[in-house]
Amino acid sequence: MKLRSFVLALLLLAAFAFSKTITVGTSADFPPFEYIENGRFVGFDMDLMREIAKIAGFELKFVDMSFDSLIPALRAGQIDVVAAAMTITEERKQVVDFSIPYWTADQSVIVRADSNLTITVLFGKYKIGVQTGTTGDLWCTDELVSKGILPERNLKRYDTFILALSDLLNGNIDAIVLDSPVASRFAATKPVKVVGIIVTGEQYGIAVRKGNKELLNAINNALKQIIESGKMSELIDKYF
Ligand code: ARG
């Protein structure tokens, strides 16, 4: 028994000595997945990364940036991981590798709580806000702008949802298209409401640099453990 605890202590020491720091990029404007509270990165994705790090034995450093900078920063080696409620898409899979999926979502349309607008807000004369480079942006671009339903000038792209939301509340835009879980959170905490859902059936994954097998395997193994141990359900209860 004594020997076992000695070996264990030694292993822990070794793990500590060799533990490396993984830099996690996010766009901390997306409650309940990632946001900043009292100067600290919080949210489902942030805690999920902390649990993964515990299991895989690495230290974490979080970096906040605009969503559309995340993949370029990952490819350039400025960050090692993207944890940002990022949807696994074919286009992104060409340039980064994704973990097993950990969440599913659709797109929602939100307007001001006191507005009479409905889902038809999307069809022409109103101003629609999206976060640059998100699947909401891509959906509006492909399904509305490219098809001549929404004039390009009426699609407003923002670096962060914080800016989009304040423009919606100020009346500078009329609606925002964004992921359904985040739309529901905003509807519960801000004077906005959901007027429609666009079923896209997206799945979120954690992204690593293409070919970074070691890190990807560590993340996937940890994710499986987190799901099996019930820790995942605990995190869901905490944030949803
Ligand atoms: N799921 C969407 C996408 O991958 C939106 C993600 C936005 N994430 C964020 N942290 N702002 O494009």
Side-chain angles (χ1 to χ4, degrees):
M1 199 56 196
K2 271 201 179 127
L3 185 69
R4 237 173 87 184
S5 24
F6 177 71
V7 172
L8 211 70
L10 216 64
L11 278 175
L12 277 175
L13 210 69
F16 184 73
F18 293 115
S19 80
K20 55 174 183 186
T21 299
I22 299 290
T23 306
V24 179
T26 194
S27 171
D29 58 350
F30 217 52
F33 293 97
E34 42 263 342
Y35 51 106
I36 289 175
E37 207 172 64
N38 304 322
R40 193 177 139 81
F41 286 88
V42 289
F44 182 84
D45 289 344
M46 305 293 94
D47 279 3
L48 188 59
M49 277 314 304
R50 289 183 178 109
E51 291 302 325
I52 291 171
K54 252 192 243 167
I55 295 171
F58 42 69
E59 302 291 314
L60 290 183
K61 186 179 156 214
F62 291 101
V63 181
D64 191 19
M65 58 183 82
S66 67
F67 186 79
D68 67 329
S69 311
L70 288 167
I71 288 184
L74 183 63
R75 299 184 72 190
Q78 288 152 7
I79 54 177
D80 304 301
V81 166
V82 174
M86 185 174 271
T87 302
I88 303 169
T89 68
E90 282 312 314
E91 291 74 19
R92 291 174 183 160
K93 267 162 67 176
Q94 308 290 313
V95 291
V96 300
D97 285 339
F98 281 103
S99 70
I100 54 171
Y102 66 90
W103 204 267
T104 54
D106 294 309
Q107 293 296 306
S108 287
V109 183
I110 58 171
V111 299
R112 280 179 299 282
D114 61 1
S115 147
N116 295 321
L117 293 166
T118 65
I119 184 93
T120 56
V121 68
L122 297 181
F123 302 153
K125 57 182 178 185
Y126 296 100
K127 293 201 180 79
I128 312 300
V130 291
Q131 185 178 33
T132 309
T134 57
T135 46
D137 179 6
L138 295 179
W139 188 86
C140 289
T141 304
D142 293 348
E143 301 302 323
L144 302 176
V145 175
S146 298
K147 295 188 174 162
I149 298 169
L150 180 73
E152 172 85 51
R153 64 169 188 286
N154 283 358
L155 184 63
K156 305 277 173 205
R157 296 187 174 89
Y158 295 89
D159 274 351
T160 71
F161 278 112
I162 296 166
L163 297 173
L165 203 61
S166 72
D167 254 11
L168 178 65
L169 295 176
N170 291 337
N172 292 331
I173 56 173
D174 303 294
I176 299 176
V177 176
L178 77 169
D179 295 29
S180 48
V182 180
S184 306
R185 176 53 53 100
F186 284 151
T189 55
K190 313 264 172 190
V192 298
K193 61 181 178 188
V194 176
V195 290
I197 292 189
I198 304 155
V199 179
T200 51
E202 298 170 44
Q203 293 193 306
Y204 297 169
I206 296 165
V208 299
R209 239 179 325 284
K210 225 175 186 3
N212 193 350
K213 283 222 176 67
E214 199 188 327
L215 184 55
L216 189 63
N217 287 339
I219 290 174
N220 278 336
N221 288 334
L223 269 176
K224 285 178 201 153
Q225 274 188 51
I226 290 166
I227 294 167
E228 278 160 20
S229 69
K231 192 75 209 175
M232 192 69 142
S233 319
E234 244 175 66
L235 287 182
I236 295 172
D237 286 346
K238 178 171 175 191
Y239 285 106
F240 292 87

